[in-house]
Amino acid sequence: MNEILQLLVYGLVLGSVLAMGAIGVSMIFGILRFAHFAHGDFMTLGAYLGLAFIAAFGLGAWWALPAAMLGMAIVAVGIDQLIYRRLRRTQPVILLISSFGMALILRSLVQLIWGSDNQTYVSGIQFPWRLDWLGGLRLKPDHAWIVLISAGLIVAVHLFLSRTRLGKAMRAMSDNMDLARISGIPAERVIMMTWIIGGALAAAAGVFLGIDTRLHPMMGWTTLLPVFAAAILGGIGRPYGAIVGGMVIGLSMEMSTLLISASYKPAVAFAIMVLMLIVRPQGIFKGTL
Amino acid sequence: MELAGITGYLISFLTFTGIYAVLVLGLNSQWGFTGQFNIGIAGFFAVGAYTSAILTTPGSPAYLGGFGMPFVAGLAGAVLASVIVGLAIGLITARLRTDYLAIATIGIAEMIRLFIKNEDWLTNGVRGIAGIARPLAGTPLDTPLGYLLIVAVFVVLAYFLVERAYVSPWGRVLRAIRENEPATAAAGKSIARFRLQAFVLGSALMGLGGGLYAHFFGFLSPEAFKPLYGTFIIWVMLIAGGSGNNRGALLGALIVWGVWTGTELATGLLPSHYATQGAALRVLLIGVLLQVILLTRPQGLLPEKPPKLIAKRPH
Amino acid sequence: MSTLLEARDLYGGYGGNDILKGVSLRVEADEVVVIVGPNGAGKSTAMKAIFGLLRIRQGQVLYRGEDITNARPEQMVRRGVAYVPQEHNIFPSLSVQENLEMGAYLMKGDLKPRLERIYQLFPRLAERKRQPTGQMSGGERQMVAMGRALMIDPRLLMLDEPTAGLSPKLIDETFVQIQKINAAGIGVLMVEQNAKQALAIASRGYVLATGANRHEDSGAALLADPHVAEMFLGG
């Protein structure tokens, strides 16, 4: 029982990370109509930007978060303006290929600048709290923070999408791009906002991963497949679906270790995704693709 | 560098180009014929390579082997295994829209690599399989040049296969699907079945490439089938050469492999502690090269009409 | 009386092929103008081209005297032209109110007065402000679609088959709504398959076939014309 609770905690933490990535992927997929294969490496670069910031100013690990989010928001918009924007009128698959190439570019840049060794935000081990009232469950403060901050970010995204005009326009464009044009909604502004949010949340996911484990140039790429699985599970273009998808995939991946080897965790995410694609490709919340 | 060194290098270069050419031709069968966007090439590549290796290497306590079969049997096994995997995957993916197909295929490739890494009893995991025999050991052809000739024969065979397939009645149906899917479906042709067949043809060629690679390189490890080497570089070859086009496939293989090895020579001149950085720099270069091609000449060097995608843009 | 919209000799279509082969039409500020014709005549294509959704290769579109040929949809909306497509004309995951708000995206200031006007025109929508429109019936969705377009207080309302797929009762109601909208001072240009009923409320009508004009006359005259009745007035 205790083991199950422990895995539940890990599942929530992983789920939070995946949700952060999946919201961005889902929105980019819904509005720009392509699978953004560089999103994992957005997470990686975000994590490393955060590392550079705290190293430069000698700050605590959690200061990496705002720096990473701001940094990646800018980088994401930059990449779109420089490259993706010019490919918008071509076949959607060209954007996919380009993003695949972008992933490699970002990854190799990270490797060139920071090297391929593992890095961490802080040295030393953090001692977990022991929650006796939950059967002696061990909870690392970092885990609690990751889940709480993710929840906060999710609330912020929700408020943006449901209360602001630009947020509603984003949902509208995801629903029906042509009608959005017909209504006069400025597509480029919505697209820019999509990259800002996508980049910032991806950076958050990267920082969470870095804080929970360590930083490594491949850290985002290995998370990309579960992130895609979460986005597809929730329904493309459905940010709330992405959150649910992230949690389901995260929990499934961690719980699966009760039955199968931990090295096959990505396979669990993949299996769920393939099942969805066969049985209900529009996802739980009926996405726009 | 002496002449022998240069020719040796050239032979090795051309052999690798040939192996990659077979892979690109396989990809073109899937992409050029039917617009199926497979980012999981590395998976078929790996299946073919490992199957051939397992079938032909002598026994070892570390992993499944000891069949000691001849080279040709190894290749046949490689193709067969890839066909089976291709069939299984194709059945799932043949109906998927392009983006989902891409995600699914890369997932499959990663799962295959994960399997290879973890199932030591079969593949010796990360330690890899070594000592894979040269095909004609003991015969006069057991030289690098001899091996190049063998690879060249297979390239020519593969090229003729896909070219003939393209102009055959089967190929005509594929082109009809490309041009006007609803009409072809209405005429009673099963779209999914033809797509599947093209997909399997592609997988077979990729498996063949894998088998050739195993015997040429002599050593296999999961590292060789990471998405960069196993998939991305092949896509760049097809796009650079001209997608949808078999001759473009060959040209692209030659040019991109040339750029890739050229940069390897260049970074090889750097001091050794820059080795990994040099590798990262080359990856960066290839990535940037791809963006430049996509932005300036996406149709490649030998353009041909690109295939119509399976999925229509909604709305 | 100023001419609200004038299209002169339009040629254009999707990609390379011209679907429109010399279409001309005119809408005055107080008119309801109807475009009828057989399937494939290019009626919807003409509307889309005028609104800037398709490229006009040759020809001119004037709005209140200003050349707006190939203007982007956003520019059309800024000038007070609203367009309701035939299909996919709502944002399904957005609520009724949010759909309407999107219609007025470019408008400054408080949207409440605008929303009130729409709810007065379509009381049924007022009862369902927060309901996601994807779950609504065909008739209700049509109301949302039209309401969205009316949020900018357009001078010209362009409708592509507003009664498609509706029950006879709803078709009648829709035509009454359109007349009400026109009476409030909004010019209406609409494509319709229910040609008889549409021409009955039309000031003028155009008959299009194979991408070009065939007939033009007042609504009543077209209704009475036996040739037109034979060829096109099935519904």
Side-chain angles (χ1 to χ4, degrees):
Chain A
M1 185 57 199
N2 205 24
E3 195 189 350
I4 292 184
L5 272 179
Q6 197 69 60
L7 288 176
L8 216 79
V9 170
Y10 295 153
L12 282 176
V13 172
L14 180 58
S16 303
V17 169
L18 295 181
M20 292 294 106
I23 295 175
V25 160
S26 193
M27 283 166 68
I28 292 168
F29 219 149
I31 292 179
L32 291 156
R33 303 289 178 203
F34 78 102
H36 186 225
F37 269 87
H39 215 76
D41 296 276
F42 271 26
M43 292 163 64
T44 307
L45 184 58
Y48 275 89
L49 285 176
L51 181 69
F53 181 73
I54 62 174
F57 294 100
L59 298 166
W62 280 102
W63 281 104
L65 186 64
M69 289 178 74
L70 183 63
M72 267 327 279
I74 296 172
V75 170
V77 172
I79 290 175
D80 181 59
Q81 292 295 311
L82 199 64
I83 300 190
Y84 296 150
R85 181 188 194 149
R86 297 185 201 185
L87 298 171
R88 280 213 239 291
R89 305 241 171 276
T90 63
Q91 293 178 322
V93 89
I94 301 282
L95 274 167
L96 205 162
I97 298 173
S98 173
S99 71
F100 196 53
M102 202 71 226
L104 286 166
I105 291 175
L106 293 175
R107 205 177 313 156
S108 44
L109 273 173
V110 165
Q111 230 176 305
L112 282 170
I113 299 175
W114 285 283
S116 342
D117 297 324
N118 287 347
Q119 311 219 23
T120 51
Y121 284 121
V122 285
S123 40
I125 307 174
Q126 209 185 47
F127 288 102
W129 299 325
R130 220 186 100 119
L131 301 177
D132 290 313
W133 52 279
L134 269 177
L137 180 73
R138 286 181 207 288
L139 182 65
K140 275 169 67 177
D142 277 343
H143 285 170
W145 281 124
I146 289 175
V147 176
L148 279 172
I149 296 179
S150 300
L153 288 172
I154 287 171
V155 169
V157 169
H158 164 72
L159 289 174
F160 174 72
L161 291 176
S162 58
R163 301 286 173 91
T164 68
R165 212 164 55 144
L166 193 56
K168 292 178 197 178
M170 241 196 240
R171 285 161 51 213
M173 258 189 87
S174 185
D175 262 5
N176 187 339
M177 180 100 68
D178 286 335
L179 190 65
R181 271 175 75 208
I182 288 170
S183 306
I185 291 174
E188 281 301 320
R189 206 169 303 165
V190 172
I191 289 173
M192 193 179 293
M193 200 60 201
T194 308
W195 285 111
I196 290 174
I197 295 181
L201 291 179
V207 169
F208 292 159
L209 268 180
I211 284 183
D212 188 30
T213 55
R214 67 268 136 334
L215 288 100
H216 185 261
M218 295 292 285
M219 61 193 283
W221 176 253
T222 47
T223 321
L224 184 62
L225 203 65
V227 164
F228 271 134
I232 290 173
L233 183 63
I236 292 300
R238 301 263 169 264
Y240 306 108
I243 297 164
V244 171
M247 287 303 168
V248 169
I249 300 275
L251 285 165
S252 307
M253 282 172 79
E254 290 298 335
M255 297 300 229
S256 76
T257 57
L258 288 169
L259 298 170
I260 57 178
S261 152
S263 40
Y264 277 115
K265 270 196 268 187
V268 173
F270 179 65
I272 297 177
M273 183 183 81
V274 169
L275 204 68
M276 273 321 262
L277 286 176
I278 297 177
V279 165
R280 195 185 159 96
Q282 68 268 44
I284 300 177
F285 290 84
K286 275 213 266 239
T288 55
L289 282 184
Chain B
M1 244 212 282
E2 350 140 324
L3 187 65
I6 296 177
T7 41
Y9 192 80
L10 200 63
I11 291 174
S12 165
F13 171 77
L14 286 173
T15 312
F16 260 115
T17 305
I19 292 171
Y20 273 107
V22 173
L23 289 165
V24 187
L25 286 174
L27 178 63
N28 199 36
S29 302
Q30 297 172 340
W31 171 244
F33 283 8
T34 54
Q36 295 181 86
F37 189 73
N38 179 5
I39 320 188
I41 305 168
F44 299 102
F45 191 16
V47 165
Y50 269 89
T51 306
S52 193
I54 289 169
L55 286 177
T56 56
T57 48
S60 157
Y63 60 92
L64 187 72
F67 297 102
M69 292 167 124
F71 168 67
V72 181
L75 281 189
V79 171
L80 190 63
S82 292
V83 163
I84 293 173
V85 173
L87 202 64
I89 292 167
L91 281 169
I92 304 172
T93 62
R95 292 166 298 134
L96 293 180
R97 46 171 294 120
T98 308
D99 311 73
Y100 291 164
L101 199 154
I103 299 170
T105 49
I106 208 169
I108 287 160
E110 284 301 286
M111 293 305 116
I112 290 176
R113 212 167 63 84
L114 212 63
F115 184 79
I116 290 172
K117 259 170 87 163
N118 286 305
E119 303 305 310
D120 299 48
W121 56 273
L122 184 64
T123 61
N124 208 20
V126 291
R127 289 179 295 279
I129 299 180
I132 306 174
R134 295 257 169 184
L136 298 163
T139 70
L141 274 174
D142 184 23
T143 63
L145 187 61
Y147 203 70
L148 173 60
L149 286 173
I150 294 172
V151 170
V153 164
F154 275 107
V155 172
V156 168
L157 282 174
Y159 180 75
F160 268 112
L161 179 67
V162 289
E163 281 286 291
R164 293 317 311 272
Y166 191 66
V167 300
S168 72
W170 181 73
R172 265 204 294 276
V173 177
L174 288 178
R175 266 175 291 145
I177 294 175
R178 237 170 66 178
E179 305 308 315
N180 193 344
E181 190 175 313
T184 320
K189 303 288 181 191
S190 161
I191 309 283
R193 195 156 60 88
F194 279 94
R195 265 202 212 121
L196 182 63
Q197 288 163 356
F199 193 82
V200 170
L201 173 64
S203 343
L205 286 171
M206 291 174 188
L208 177 67
L212 290 170
Y213 173 83
H215 289 276
F216 172 65
F217 205 58
F219 171 71
L220 286 183
S221 88
E223 289 303 293
F225 304 102
K226 283 162 74 165
L228 168 63
Y229 305 105
T231 298
F232 183 65
I233 204 169
I234 296 166
W235 266 106
V236 180
M237 288 172 174
L238 187 60
I239 289 173
S243 60
N245 181 348
N246 288 321
R247 272 159 299 137
L250 298 182
L251 184 64
L254 184 68
I255 290 180
V256 174
W257 191 247
V259 170
W260 184 247
T261 47
T263 54
E264 185 170 31
L265 284 176
T267 55
L269 297 172
L270 294 170
S272 59
H273 61 267
Y274 282 121
T276 38
Q277 303 299 75
L281 192 62
R282 291 166 63 211
V283 173
L284 182 64
L285 215 70
I286 288 277
V288 170
L289 176 68
L290 177 68
Q291 305 298 350
V292 168
I293 294 174
L294 289 177
L295 286 170
T296 58
R297 200 184 162 88
Q299 69 272 37
L301 287 165
L302 296 179
E304 187 157 321
K305 200 162 100 177
K308 202 165 87 158
L309 290 175
I310 307 172
K312 297 173 270 292
R313 288 181 73 124
H315 306 316
Chain C
M1 203 74 60
S2 62
T3 304
L4 199 52
L5 180 77
E6 188 175 349
R8 295 178 184 164
D9 226 21
L10 300 180
Y11 286 81
Y14 302 87
N17 300 326
D18 277 349
I19 297 184
L20 305 175
K21 302 190 171 86
V23 171
S24 301
L25 54 87
R26 188 177 36 97
V27 181
E28 304 293 337
D30 57 347
E31 290 186 315
V32 173
V33 174
V34 174
I35 306 175
V36 296
N39 282 328
K43 316 189 288 292
S44 293
T45 312
M47 290 259 275
K48 288 185 186 148
I50 291 171
F51 194 71
L53 294 170
L54 294 176
R55 179 138 195 91
I56 293 172
R57 203 178 49 77
Q58 199 182 307
Q60 231 188 350
V61 180
L62 296 166
Y63 177 71
R64 300 177 74 208
E66 186 193 346
D67 189 333
I68 52 147
T69 317
N70 283 319
R72 289 193 321 268
E74 181 190 334
Q75 294 165 319
M76 301 297 279
V77 171
R78 284 195 196 280
R79 285 170 172 75
V81 181
Y83 169 66
V84 182
Q86 181 188 346
E87 291 178 313
H88 304 302
N89 50 20
I90 52 161
F91 300 112
S93 75
L94 271 58
S95 68
V96 167
Q97 178 130 327
E98 286 172 334
N99 264 270
L100 299 178
E101 286 170 7
M102 288 299 102
Y105 191 88
L106 291 173
M107 302 290 116
K108 308 222 186 301
D110 193 7
L111 292 183
K112 268 213 274 287
R114 296 180 189 270
L115 288 165
E116 271 318 302
R117 273 200 296 275
I118 305 297
Y119 288 136
Q120 272 184 354
L121 191 59
F122 300 110
R124 266 227 288 286
L125 293 184
E127 299 160 21
R128 294 170 173 69
K129 281 184 202 173
R130 308 221 174 280
Q131 191 180 349
T133 55
Q135 300 165 1
M136 296 173 104
S137 69
E140 288 165 340
R141 289 155 86 130
Q142 201 54 31
M143 281 190 244
V144 173
M146 244 198 276
R148 194 242 355 126
L150 291 169
M151 282 292 285
I152 60 165
D153 274 330
R155 281 188 212 255
L156 175 64
L157 181 65
M158 295 170 64
L159 304 169
D160 195 346
E161 300 203 28
T163 64
L166 296 181
S167 66
K169 175 163 165 283
L170 285 176
I171 293 176
D172 289 341
E173 278 181 26
T174 306
F175 282 125
V176 168
Q177 293 283 24
I178 293 173
Q179 282 181 296
K180 255 205 263 184
I181 291 167
N182 177 243
I186 299 175
V188 176
L189 174 65
M190 70 174 170
V191 168
E192 254 302 339
Q193 274 302 100
N194 286 315
K196 248 204 266 194
Q197 278 186 281
L199 288 172
I201 67 160
S203 325
R204 275 185 311 112
Y206 291 88
V207 180
L208 254 54
T210 58
N213 294 49
R214 283 277 177 272
H215 291 274
E216 178 197 335
D217 213 327
S218 71
L222 285 175
L223 257 182
D225 187 335
H227 289 303
V228 176
E230 220 180 280
M231 277 194 280
F232 305 123
L233 300 185

